Amino acid sequence: MVAFDNVRELLSATGARVRESVPLAELTTLRVGGPATVAECATTEALVATVRTLDAAGVPVLLIAGGSNLLIADRGFDGVVVRIATSAVELGSDLVSAEAGADWDGVVAAAVAAGLGGLECLSGIPGSAGATPVQNVGAYGVEVAQVLRRVRLLDRTTGEIRWAAPQELGFGYRTSILKHSDRAVVLAVEFTVNPDGASAPLRYGELARGFGAAEGETRPAAEVREAVLRLRAGKGMVLDAADHDTWSAGSFFTNPVVDHERAPQVIETIRADVGDITIPTYPADDGVKFSAGWLIERAGFAKGFPGPESVVRLSTKHTLALTNRGAATAADLAELARTVRDGVARRFGIRLEPEPVTVGLDL
């Protein structure tokens, strides 16, 4: 591990609060991960100075804010974890601005309370505001790429700080150019919102039906937020310390997209296995999107798999979530992820890809 005294001395002028041997399980929603030295940055200035200083010294850096999309190895991280604890949120007539460490659902709640619409379908998603463009977070018919105005970045290669437009970020389904690169640090984000308080157009069938609305209609943002929170809670997707179904990284696998040429063959393979039933598919820019949750269940992995005695299980409410029942390790979660992934591949010829970022282990 990096010597604590050296890190503390190195970062003494940055404004970061440095702590030694912090269990990273305390900083992630999966509640697993071994020890590391943590430098907590409560201001953007401290964050920039800390990252620049560590980079100049050649110290490995792991950035953590909400910790909702991370699976960290049990041995921890041999470097310095920079904890992004910035939290300011500003509301304008048609925009919402948030520092990277701001709690995401708190940002959405503040916007809705101020009569601003457009973000409400993204209610209840754990994590930080700064992580949303990295992952191109999406739910209930809305993706961050649709509402993002710009993102403020620190370029770790050049040291430059600048605002980047959405078209620079290479957005795709649950991804962006920021996701698999350490080059940029998100410092702040701005979103365009509706000043009249109307929601984003309702595109998700389950949500629209709850309002008796046709696809594309809108409703008051506050009402849509309440409905989204109810739907998410029913699937164990709203954090609750007392509910182990929420000790997760949310949906662990992305919905797989199969290219147009191969999709008919895949559908035929699935139909030969499950019979003449409806196979849920959705159009995608580069192919056909399949439901990962549906595939997991049809491959024989039911809610709660592998059973109540296991320290790791699929959520009892939602097969897409891998959950820590209180005593799990990162290795336990990785083993379950491999079991589910490989089982779906054997059954249907589709390889599921993990959504969380893994640190120090491979799936």
Side-chain angles (χ1 to χ4, degrees), residues 31 51 85-86 129 133-134 147 177 184 202 229 255 258 316 320 340 347:
R31 304 187 186 217
V51 172
T86 54
V134 175
V147 292
I177 63 171
L202 300 176
L229 289 173
N255 291 320
V258 178
T316 65
L320 263 183
V340 172
R347 191 78 172 260

Side-chain angles (χ1 to χ4, degrees), residues 201-287:
L202 300 176
R203 305 290 186 195
Y204 191 82
E206 184 181 14
L207 183 60
R209 287 193 297 272
F211 286 98
E215 183 176 323
E217 290 184 356
T218 65
R219 291 293 186 269
E223 294 180 13
V224 174
R225 171 172 165 78
E226 291 178 3
V228 167
L229 289 173
R230 285 195 300 271
L231 289 172
R232 290 186 65 88
K235 299 174 182 178
M237 292 294 186
V238 177
L239 293 181
D240 179 352
D243 182 0
H244 285 285
D245 275 335
T246 74
W247 290 31
S248 76
S251 296
F252 197 89
F253 296 103
T254 58
N255 291 320
V257 176
V258 178
D259 64 66
H260 291 292
E261 182 177 351
R262 183 169 169 255
Q265 177 187 349
V266 170
I267 291 172
E268 183 177 340
T269 298
I270 296 173
R271 183 159 285 126
D273 186 293
V274 303
D276 189 21
I277 63 175
T278 300
I279 301 171
T281 60
Y282 312 91
D285 291 339
D286 48 357

